[in-house]
Amino acid sequence: MLINQVGASIGSTLATTTFGLVVPLDQLANLLVLTLAFTIVGLILFAFAFWIMNKVAPFSVRKEIEDDQNTALAIVMGSVIIGIALIVAAAVHG
């Protein structure tokens, strides 16, 4: 409530984000660029991890998951992706 009153009193120099946080407009562009940069880094890390897992495995990961319905392999692959997501989230959070 207080944040909205402060934002309304200052005027057009503030922007309200999705979570209700008030951010100065000059910092909003910087935040958007950082978000885009971390998104790209995260996607590159996900692709690299998937590529490494495919190269290290002595079998076709795609065939094992899709054709043979290997649930254990899918869980391991998902766990690696979640682990990388936690690392990227910690880097973004600082």
Side-chain angles (χ1 to χ4, degrees), residues 7-72:
S9 66
I10 293 177
S12 65
T13 60
L14 297 176
T16 303
T17 63
T18 306
F19 300 109
L21 302 173
V22 178
V23 178
L25 286 178
D26 58 339
Q27 291 180 2
L28 185 63
N30 187 27
L31 289 174
L32 290 175
V33 168
L34 283 174
T35 301
L36 182 63
F38 277 112
T39 301
I40 291 170
V41 168
L43 289 174
I44 289 170
L45 286 175
F46 290 147
F48 183 68
F50 190 76
W51 181 77
I52 290 290
M53 286 187 286
N54 276 331
K55 291 298 177 188
V56 170
F59 48 81
S60 172
V61 173
R62 181 174 178 256
K63 179 189 172 297
E64 284 290 321
I65 292 175
E66 289 181 6
D67 296 338
D68 299 339
Q69 300 293 315
N70 190 340
T71 306

